[in-house]
């Protein structure tokens, strides 16, 4: 996926005012489960991981892991050169590995369906939400998060992280 293609994805990483936000789990086992659940929820078609911000916590990053997972999908691009990676159902574990790396490294990213207008946004401040305009698909993705028993952000947490202008 070229830089131009990544930038052409019509995605807004700011959550809608009434979006339910959840904390990303802090332990690696639950992050791995979250990566599997997120990729599984979008597995019926083509998806893209679009890294929006990286290098926020350099001590958490081991970029060769991300590059190795990318090679399994057929790309040698570094995240600096191309922050987006398209994948499909045939990419299975490699797609999970890419998403897991992004979670472990505390990157901000979108994981979006290229077939439906929906996906997940994960922020480097360790919260996640479902985004998009396809209501039915968004409900399915929210169910995915609910099944993992993620802790929702309190109104106070939301205000501290996003500021008052985005509160409903």
């Amino acid at each position: 996926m070229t830089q131009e293609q990544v930038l052409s994805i019509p995605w807004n990483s700011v959550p809608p005012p009434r979006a339910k936000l959840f904390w990303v789990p802090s332990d690696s086992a639950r992050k791995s489960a979250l990566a599997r659940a997120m990729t599984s929820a979008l597995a019926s078609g083509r998806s893209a991981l679009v890294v929006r911000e990286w290098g926020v916590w350099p001590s958490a990053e081991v970029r060769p892991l991300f590059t190795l997972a990318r090679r399994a999908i057929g790309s040698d691009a570094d995240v600096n050169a191309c922050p987006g990676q398209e994948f499909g159902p045939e990419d299975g574990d490699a797609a999970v590995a890419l998403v897991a790396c992004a979670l472990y490294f505390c990157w901000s990213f979108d994981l979006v369906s290229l077939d439906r207008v929906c996906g997940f946004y994960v922020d480097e401040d360790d919260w996640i939400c479902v985004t998009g305009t396809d209501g039915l698909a968004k409900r399915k993705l929210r169910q995915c998060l609910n099944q993992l028993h993620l802790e929702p952000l309190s109104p106070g947490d939301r205000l501290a992280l996003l500021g008052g202008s985005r509160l409903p």
Side-chain angles (χ1 to χ4, degrees):
M1 180 171 250
T2 67
Q3 178 80 356
E4 186 174 294
Q5 290 170 316
V6 168
L7 295 174
S8 73
I9 293 176
W11 219 246
N12 180 2
S13 299
V14 175
R18 299 193 189 281
K20 189 169 185 180
L21 308 181
F22 297 91
W23 288 113
V24 171
S26 59
D27 65 276
S28 59
R30 291 193 67 209
K31 283 184 179 181
S32 296
L34 178 58
R36 282 191 293 277
M38 290 168 67
T39 54
S40 176
L42 298 175
S44 64
R46 302 300 295 168
S47 299
L49 172 71
V50 181
V51 180
R52 301 292 183 184
E53 192 167 358
W54 59 92
V56 177
W57 302 105
S59 62
E61 294 183 12
V62 183
R63 287 203 194 172
L65 289 176
F66 187 78
T67 304
L68 287 170
R70 262 193 149 163
R71 282 189 190 141
I73 296 176
S75 173
D76 282 331
D78 179 71
V79 70
N80 292 322
C82 184
Q85 180 64 53
E86 184 177 345
F87 53 87
E90 70 279 4
D91 295 312
D93 290 339
V96 173
L98 284 172
V99 174
C101 283
L103 287 167
Y104 302 148
F105 301 168
C106 303
W107 288 350
S108 292
F109 66 91
D110 291 300
L111 179 63
V112 300
S113 168
L114 297 176
D115 302 325
R116 301 180 310 262
V117 185
C118 65
F120 299 99
Y121 173 70
V122 178
D123 190 82
E124 79 271 2
D125 287 324
D126 282 335
W127 56 266
I128 182 174
C129 71
V130 172
T131 59
T133 58
D134 183 330
L136 183 60
K138 282 174 50 177
R139 277 192 292 281
K140 177 183 172 189
L141 299 184
R142 273 193 299 274
Q143 287 173 348
C144 160
L145 296 180
N146 288 331
Q147 290 171 353
L148 292 170
H149 305 289
L150 300 179
E151 181 184 347
L153 268 69
S154 71
D157 292 334
R158 185 181 178 121
L159 181 62
L161 289 169
L162 300 176
S165 63
R166 293 191 184 107
L167 286 174

